[in-house]
Amino acid sequence: MSRVRKVFLCVLCVNLRILCVEHFNTMAETLLIPQTTHRQEIYDSLLPQLDALTAGEPDLIANLANITAALKEAFGFFWVGFYLKKEEQLVLGPFQGPIACTRIAFDKGVCGASYSRRETLLVPDVEQFPGHIACSSLSRSEVVVPVFDKNGEVAMVLDVDSDQLDDFSEVDVRELQKVAALITRLL
Ligand code: SME
């Protein structure tokens, strides 16, 4: 099936879900995830579904929880979750994966660096990142994306970890930034 046709079908499915939510007050219980290893295709399918999943739900934690579950289900990432800015530090929020460090100072780890620099950090080998915090010794590479509030302040970071070296690319950076932008609209 051509990519255009797949995207069309996906948008159709998402719109049907929105109709379902709006008119029957029910939420679809499953994600539609293309059977491919091409992450770009998976992101193309997932992003509109995340939009539909979070539209109309005002509770931030509920939305962040579903976003982590969706990313985990779609990609099988080792760890995916949020650290929220609270009381002048980053505090663990909704996540999927092994238990993790609960608090990170703004000047510590990849998460703290991403928060302070206000930029996405792609770390192909965590052992090469000075100050990396090893919540799990199995984590080998990661990408951390800041999520801005409507005033341009960093409200949280989205942290995605892999147990494989060099597992992330510019595709993940670009698409996870789109996830972050979607969250900004929810804040
Ligand atoms: N590795 C992160 C800490 C968070 S965990 O990996 C879940 C860091 O260096 O900031």
Side-chain angles (χ1 to χ4, degrees):
M1 192 188 299
S2 75
R3 181 147 178 233
V4 171
R5 182 171 286 221
K6 280 182 192 164
V7 170
F8 172 77
L9 282 175
C10 181
V11 169
L12 185 66
C13 289
V14 167
N15 284 335
L16 285 173
R17 279 161 180 254
I18 293 169
L19 269 178
C20 179
V21 172
E22 283 180 352
H23 295 282
F24 303 106
N25 197 26
T26 59
M27 176 52 74
E29 290 170 7
T30 53
L31 286 174
L32 301 174
I33 300 168
Q35 295 305 301
T36 172
T37 54
H38 290 103
R39 285 195 186 164
Q40 183 66 66
E41 278 185 43
I42 302 176
Y43 282 116
D44 286 345
S45 164
L46 193 63
L47 261 293
Q49 294 185 72
L50 291 183
D51 237 335
L53 193 60
T54 52
E57 171 50 64
D59 190 277
L60 178 64
I61 297 300
N63 284 329
L64 297 182
N66 258 344
I67 289 170
T68 60
L71 288 169
K72 175 80 172 172
E73 188 178 331
F75 297 101
F77 291 135
F78 176 68
W79 195 92
V80 51
F82 293 94
Y83 281 92
L84 286 76
K85 182 196 176 245
K86 284 184 186 174
E87 302 144 16
E88 299 314 304
Q89 55 191 333
L90 296 170
V91 181
L92 184 62
F95 73 95
Q96 296 272 319
I99 59 169
C101 326
T102 51
R103 289 171 188 266
I104 297 177
F106 292 153
D107 60 348
K108 299 285 186 230
V110 186
C111 290
S114 171
Y115 175 87
S116 304
R117 296 185 208 168
R118 300 166 52 83
E119 63 188 33
T120 300
L121 294 179
L122 176 59
V123 182
D125 179 355
V126 295
E127 289 183 12
Q128 303 303 316
F129 189 95
H132 165 257
I133 300 166
C135 291
S136 165
S137 60
L138 296 177
S139 180
R140 308 291 299 282
S141 56
E142 70 179 276
V143 56
V144 180
V145 182
V147 178
F148 298 96
D149 66 19
K150 293 197 170 95
N151 298 319
E153 301 296 322
V154 182
M156 67 191 83
V157 297
L158 168 59
D159 180 8
V160 185
D161 292 14
S162 172
D163 56 4
Q164 308 292 315
L165 270 178
D166 200 11
D167 197 18
F168 300 103
S169 71
E170 289 304 322
V171 168
D172 299 290
V173 167
R174 184 180 61 241
E175 299 301 322
L176 291 171
Q177 285 174 339
K178 288 182 191 169
V179 174
L182 181 156
I183 296 165
T184 299
R185 296 197 290 275
L186 299 171
L187 294 177

